[in-house]
Amino acid sequence: MMFKNVIVRRPARSLIDGITSAPELGKPDYELAIKQHDAYIEALKSCGVEVTVLPAMEEYPDSCFIEDDAVMTRMGAIITNPGAASRNGEKEHIVEAVRKFYSDDKIAYIKAPGTLEGGDVMMVGDHFYVGRSARTNEEGIRQFIEILEGWGLSGSEVTLEKVLHLKTGVNYLENNTFLVSGEFVEKEEFKNAKQILIPEDESYAANCIWVNNKVIVPANFPKVAQLVRDAGYEVILCDTSEYRKLDGGLSCLSLRF
Ligand code: CIR
């Protein structure tokens, strides 16, 4: 399986007002965030994908975390219904971009009272794991799985206890290989997989992205970078320090399909 396309959204200046569970890390520096975003786009291009860059949206401080607004599958796209109130309106602004890649009959919508954010969705071939979190509820998951099944795909729920989104703690590379941290190590779903165990002091780096046989790893997490190299992948490092201040990781910044 190869990705052909990626969609990103430029960070807004209002980024400094984004949601965070870690205010002690300080506010993001907008200029540095822009430089890191530029480097992220270059890293993606070096993996052979076409990158569509959407403009910043000042009214939505967290909108650069575009992964939460849609889920792109090989059969169709699902526009989410973000559970964070300040982010909910982002979904209206992703549809136009998604329409460039999918016809209207291949675009489905999660509807209230269902909520779902893309950071809770992990694609493993034709199966989609969905984290039930503070942002993604039971009804959102029910609708999501129903849509997937209508397309001949499947989904299942994973319960989360500590992390913001499912992919904060577990991410899929390929060939049954997962990057697994904390609460996910012992979970039934991933117990029998090939696990790359993320050391606790580098848990942020559980959020890496596999793009066409290369793996983009956050900079400054040397143990994880080495573990991924040891698993046989070419590693590209990208500094995401400014996004980390808002609980954002590498996957959050793009839609890959
Ligand atoms: C939020 O709390 O919604 C943003 N500050 C971070 C979103 C991270 N997105 C993701 O993990 N997919």
Side-chain angles (χ1 to χ4, degrees), residues 18-21 61-62 65-68 84 86-87 90 117-120 135 164-168 207 243 245-249 251-253:
I19 307 169
T20 183
S21 67
D62 287 292
F65 301 116
I66 194 168
E67 173 180 65
D68 293 320
S86 67
R87 301 199 57 190
E90 289 177 21
E117 294 190 358
D120 277 318
R135 304 288 183 85
L164 171 64
H165 285 124
L166 177 66
K167 283 186 292 192
T168 312
N207 188 263
Y243 302 98
K245 292 173 181 170
L246 301 177
D247 306 323
S251 76
C252 321
L253 290 169

Side-chain angles (χ1 to χ4, degrees), residues 66-81:
I66 194 168
E67 173 180 65
D68 293 320
D69 301 342
V71 177
M72 316 292 257
T73 79
R74 71 177 178 83
M75 298 300 289
I78 298 168
I79 308 297
T80 68
N81 190 29

Side-chain angles (χ1 to χ4, degrees), residues 27-181:
K27 296 244 182 215
D29 173 332
Y30 170 74
E31 301 297 337
L32 183 53
I34 285 286
K35 284 200 187 102
Q36 292 179 347
H37 205 256
D38 288 339
Y40 180 72
I41 292 170
E42 286 314 308
L44 286 163
K45 285 184 178 163
S46 77
C47 299
V49 293
E50 184 100 11
V51 183
T52 299
V53 182
L54 304 182
M57 292 197 299
E58 288 301 333
E59 61 278 42
Y60 296 104
D62 287 292
S63 54
C64 59
F65 301 116
I66 194 168
E67 173 180 65
D68 293 320
D69 301 342
V71 177
M72 316 292 257
T73 79
R74 71 177 178 83
M75 298 300 289
I78 298 168
I79 308 297
T80 68
N81 190 29
S86 67
R87 301 199 57 190
N88 188 260
E90 289 177 21
K91 63 180 191 253
E92 316 289 347
H93 301 272
I94 188 71
V95 182
E96 197 187 316
V98 168
R99 280 209 177 111
K100 298 217 161 73
F101 299 95
Y102 296 86
S103 56
D104 281 343
D105 60 321
K106 298 270 186 251
I107 304 177
Y109 298 81
I110 302 295
K111 298 183 184 112
T115 64
L116 187 127
E117 294 190 358
D120 277 318
V121 176
M122 179 171 65
M123 179 175 77
V124 178
D126 278 349
H127 187 79
F128 293 74
Y129 290 101
V130 196
R132 182 152 158 196
S133 69
R135 304 288 183 85
T136 296
N137 66 17
E138 188 180 3
E139 170 60 13
I141 296 175
R142 191 198 63 73
Q143 291 178 24
F144 184 72
I145 294 175
E146 190 173 89
I147 296 164
L148 291 174
E149 289 180 347
W151 291 339
L153 307 172
S154 62
S156 59
E157 176 182 319
V158 182
T159 49
L160 317 184
E161 278 120 52
K162 301 200 180 98
V163 293
L164 171 64
H165 285 124
L166 177 66
K167 283 186 292 192
T168 312
V170 56
N171 285 271
Y172 184 58
L173 300 182
E174 55 165 3
N175 300 330
N176 199 31
T177 305
F178 295 74
L179 297 167
V180 192
S181 73

